Amino acid sequence: MPQLSQKGQDMPQSPIRKLVPYAEAAEARGIQIHQLNIGQPDIKTPKHALDAVKNADIEVLSYSHSAGFLSYREKLAAYYGKQGIEITANDIIVSTGGSEALLFAMGTITDLGDEIIIPEPFYANYNGFATASGVTVKPVISSFESGFALPPISEFEKQITPKTKAIVICNPGNPTGYLYSKEELDQLSELVKKHDLFLIADEVYREFAYDGLQHNSVLNQREIDQHTIMIDSVSKRFSMCGARIGCLVSRNKAFMATAMKFAQARLSPPTLAQIASEAALDTPQSYFDEVISEYVDRRDTLVAGLEAIPGVRVAKPKGAFYCIAELPVKNSDDFAQWLLESFEHNKKTVMVAPAAGFYSTPGEGLNQVRIAYVLKKEDLIEAVALLKEALSLYKD
Ligand SMILES: Cc1ncc(COP(=O)(O)O)c(C=O)c1O
């Protein structure tokens, strides 16, 4: 057989999806699984977004502009304006999910062997996008004790080399739920200015900020306009993960012109999904108010339930819909597999994401799991009870 690429062999498996075969086997045995492992919200997609596609009078399902429909980008710019972010349609390239925006960003700013610095734990697919781009991730550990606040700037500086191109942050964070403060963004701004680096901010969870806290966009750090790249997506905002629409936003014209060449190479983002995404922008604030209050309720239920289990600690999330929990186990990979292979209570079990896959430093996060609170409150309560029962039986 012809040889496959080293890059392909180096591509990490998704820590979120690698347990799927064990889950399928459990389901085949008739076990019901509460899926706390993936960020697929159960919230309904706004009806008017789906109706826009149903009602679209289309004779030819054509490509769109490579940057996305102008009408959509203009409406997006207006949406950002309402969020207090001044942006024009020309600062936006619509992508096939936030995922493609991340790939475009890395392709545009890095060469083979370059490095990016990311506070860990981080969204595991950053590893995959970095590997695909031939880029090395240099992690800076953020601590469980601080709730995963920004690590000291001196720790970032220790990782900076002539090959460093960018710092990547996720705000609010997946998997941490941490929401960066304005002061933390100011510190990062100073750092990227001093070392002339890009700052990529993944803000796909922007609306999901709790406890009256305000989300601060990197695009409002106006003194670093030439450094900032923002990644966005409709997936979580409108519960439209299957639309596969995101965008890349930057005021750096040279960056955008180069990113456009990547966008042109893949021709265009999906046409029907752009129609849905454009309509989704008409979603009233009341939708978000309801969704946020639902997530806050779920978060509080989950955190209180987990903290009541002996030996379990939780870093309370301030945003997004994930939390990192420390469990009284040596290896959460083994525990997560055991939950699916060997545990059941009344024919039910839970699926969690082992957190080691969200770190790139070997040995970090071994006793942690990421839990997504994307299930209804009753299911979360049952899932926590199952976890408690499982932990009382599990032997390392
Ligand atoms: C932090 C973060 N960034 C980006 C993405 C990619 O989302 P999508 O490609 O669906 O827009 C996700 C999806 O879960 C995510 O959690």
Side-chain angles (χ1 to χ4, degrees):
M1 182 184 127
Q3 208 170 354
L4 303 176
S5 70
Q6 188 55 46
K7 196 166 38 178
Q9 288 168 62
D10 291 345
M11 260 321 257
Q13 245 196 336
S14 161
I16 306 158
R17 291 171 189 265
K18 71 180 177 187
L19 292 167
V20 167
Y22 301 103
E24 285 169 351
E27 275 165 351
R29 296 195 306 275
I31 311 280
Q32 186 200 332
I33 302 169
H34 286 303
Q35 294 210 330
L36 302 173
N37 60 316
I38 49 168
Q40 170 60 62
D42 63 350
I43 304 284
K44 282 213 169 85
T45 305
K47 188 169 178 301
H48 55 272
L50 300 172
D51 285 346
V53 175
K54 280 188 207 146
N55 300 334
D57 185 13
I58 293 174
E59 285 186 3
V60 178
L61 190 56
S62 59
Y63 291 123
S64 72
H65 190 288
S66 292
F69 287 125
L70 179 60
S71 57
Y72 178 38
R73 284 182 288 129
E74 281 174 342
K75 216 159 147 184
L76 264 176
Y79 154 81
Y80 289 121
K82 275 198 229 138
Q83 306 278 312
I85 305 168
E86 231 177 275
I87 279 297
T88 70
N90 292 336
D91 304 323
I92 301 171
I93 294 175
V94 179
S95 54
T96 308
S99 305
E100 191 183 58
L102 281 158
L103 267 174
F104 286 177
M106 289 205 197
T108 304
I109 64 173
T110 61
D111 286 310
L112 219 59
D114 279 345
E115 297 167 359
I116 54 174
I117 300 176
I118 319 181
E120 62 179 354
F122 54 77
Y123 175 51
N125 285 331
Y126 295 158
N127 267 327
F129 301 136
T131 305
S133 308
V135 168
T136 305
V137 172
K138 299 290 243 14
V140 176
I141 292 192
S142 59
S143 73
F144 182 93
E145 281 65 31
S146 70
F148 302 104
L150 189 74
I153 291 295
S154 54
E155 295 301 310
F156 284 89
E157 291 201 298
K158 279 186 202 156
Q159 294 286 29
I160 293 177
T161 74
K163 290 198 166 291
T164 310
K165 281 294 172 68
I167 290 170
V168 180
I169 58 165
C170 184
N171 185 29
N174 171 8
T176 63
Y178 189 76
L179 194 64
Y180 289 111
S181 67
K182 176 77 175 92
E183 291 68 35
E184 287 172 316
L185 291 187
D186 288 345
Q187 289 174 30
L188 283 170
S189 297
E190 280 301 312
L191 180 72
V192 297
K193 240 187 338 190
K194 179 171 164 196
H195 296 277
D196 206 17
L197 304 174
F198 285 100
L199 178 58
I200 302 178
D202 180 337
E203 299 184 0
V204 305
Y205 295 96
R206 178 181 309 106
E207 269 81 3
F208 303 92
Y210 310 136
D211 307 328
L213 292 169
Q214 171 100 27
H215 175 260
N216 296 292
S217 174
V218 80
L219 291 168
N220 282 337
Q221 300 295 116
R222 293 306 302 260
E223 69 284 13
I224 52 162
D225 267 358
Q226 296 310 301
H227 303 252
T228 46
I229 299 164
M230 196 271 281
I231 306 296
D232 214 341
S233 168
V234 303
S235 290
K236 318 289 161 154
R237 180 164 308 137
F238 302 115
S239 200
M240 284 173 57
C241 294
R244 310 309 306 129
I245 291 288
C247 66
L248 187 61
V249 186
S250 177
R251 299 191 187 90
N252 179 324
K253 300 247 175 291
F255 168 82
M256 289 305 272
T258 306
M260 253 314 270
K261 294 190 276 182
F262 287 84
Q264 284 164 354
R266 65 78 165 103
L267 304 177
S268 79
T271 294
L272 286 177
Q274 284 186 82
I275 293 172
S277 302
E278 189 170 329
L281 288 170
D282 293 328
T283 304
Q285 183 56 38
S286 55
Y287 170 91
F288 294 106
D289 295 343
E290 267 174 46
V291 170
I292 300 303
S293 96
E294 174 71 25
Y295 277 120
V296 168
D297 201 22
R298 290 176 180 189
R299 177 199 63 174
D300 293 347
T301 303
L302 176 73
V303 171
L306 288 173
E307 283 181 336
I309 303 176
V312 175
R313 292 201 306 156
V314 188
K316 191 170 178 181
K318 303 177 193 176
F321 34 72
Y322 309 94
C323 71
I324 292 277
E326 257 183 24
L327 305 183
V329 301
K330 285 201 187 80
N331 186 320
S332 63
D333 260 293
D334 294 343
F335 176 64
Q337 189 173 328
W338 176 86
L339 279 172
L340 297 169
E341 271 193 314
S342 310
F343 172 78
E344 52 113 338
H345 183 74
N346 295 334
K347 290 268 175 209
K348 289 178 183 177
T349 190
V350 283
M351 192 167 177
V352 292
F358 297 92
Y359 289 83
S360 72
T361 304
E364 282 296 328
L366 279 179
N367 64 342
Q368 300 173 0
V369 290
R370 185 195 73 170
I371 296 183
Y373 41 101
V374 289
L375 305 181
K376 285 182 189 57
K377 198 166 151 179
E378 313 81 80
D379 293 335
L380 276 178
I381 291 170
E382 190 173 57
V384 169
L386 286 164
L387 205 56
K388 183 175 180 187
E389 170 75 10
L391 282 166
S392 73
L393 298 173
Y394 184 69
K395 305 261 176 300
D396 265 317

